[in-house]
């Protein structure tokens, strides 16, 4: 039995689901955050939110797919579970880091734009 193929068959749908679900949640919740940053400029908020979602999907789905090329050969079931856990966990941490990086830069650039009282 080829455990690498089974790992790929499990990994791809799981990571795509996680990425798309998290992206959609951030898209819906982030609109309120962006709206407050851009002083209720709805058009700017919606356009930026869509761009962030598309960038998020492209980066994360691409990185998740490329990750497969770095896997070692999986010989048995415990190795398969260990590999899947390590790769899924790393990808989820990457998703979180990218999200908080976006929040930091949007907030930083917005503060820079506002006049100092």
């Amino acid at each position: 039995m080829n455990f690498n193929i089974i790992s790929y068959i499990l990994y791809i749908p799981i990571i795509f689901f996680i990425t798309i679900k998290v992206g959609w949640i951030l898209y819906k919740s982030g609109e309120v955050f962006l709206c407050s940053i851009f002083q209720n400029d709805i058009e700017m908020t919606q356009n930026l939110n869509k761009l962030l979602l598309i960038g998020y999907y492209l980066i994360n789905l691409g990185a998740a797919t490329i990750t497969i090329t770095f896997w070692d050969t999986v010989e048995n079931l415990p190795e398969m579970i260990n590999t899947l856990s390590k790769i899924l966990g790393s990808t989820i941490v990457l998703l979180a880091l990218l999200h908080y990086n976006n929040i930091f830069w949007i907030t930083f650039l917005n503060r820079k734009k506002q006049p100092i009282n």
Side-chain angles (χ1 to χ4, degrees):
M1 186 186 316
N2 192 337
F3 285 100
N4 274 28
I5 300 297
I6 295 169
S7 297
Y8 302 154
I9 291 170
L10 291 172
Y11 171 75
I12 290 172
I14 291 170
I15 202 63
F16 275 44
F17 173 78
I18 290 171
T19 300
I20 290 169
K21 185 70 175 172
V22 169
W24 188 251
I25 290 169
L26 296 175
Y27 174 75
K28 291 308 240 179
S29 302
E31 192 165 348
V32 175
F33 176 71
L34 291 174
C35 196
S36 69
I37 287 177
F38 292 108
Q39 288 106 19
N40 296 323
D41 184 353
I42 302 299
E43 185 178 353
M44 175 70 155
T45 298
Q46 290 174 340
N47 290 334
L48 181 60
N49 206 19
K50 287 177 186 173
L51 283 173
L52 287 172
L53 180 65
I54 291 168
Y56 171 85
Y57 284 159
L58 290 174
I59 289 171
N60 292 306
L61 294 177
T65 305
I66 290 171
T67 300
I68 291 174
T69 63
F70 296 107
W71 284 11
D72 295 328
T73 303
V74 179
E75 302 288 334
N76 52 40
L77 185 62
E79 276 185 30
M80 184 178 83
I81 293 169
N82 188 31
T83 300
L84 280 172
S85 300
K86 182 175 75 173
I87 300 292
L88 285 169
S90 314
T91 306
I92 291 168
V93 168
L94 174 69
L95 293 175
L97 290 173
L98 287 172
H99 173 65
Y100 286 113
N101 181 49
N102 283 344
I103 289 174
F104 170 78
W105 284 109
I106 289 169
T107 305
F108 176 77
L109 293 173
N110 183 53
R111 284 189 187 152
K112 199 172 182 180
K113 176 179 88 169
Q114 293 176 350
I116 300 174
N117 292 329

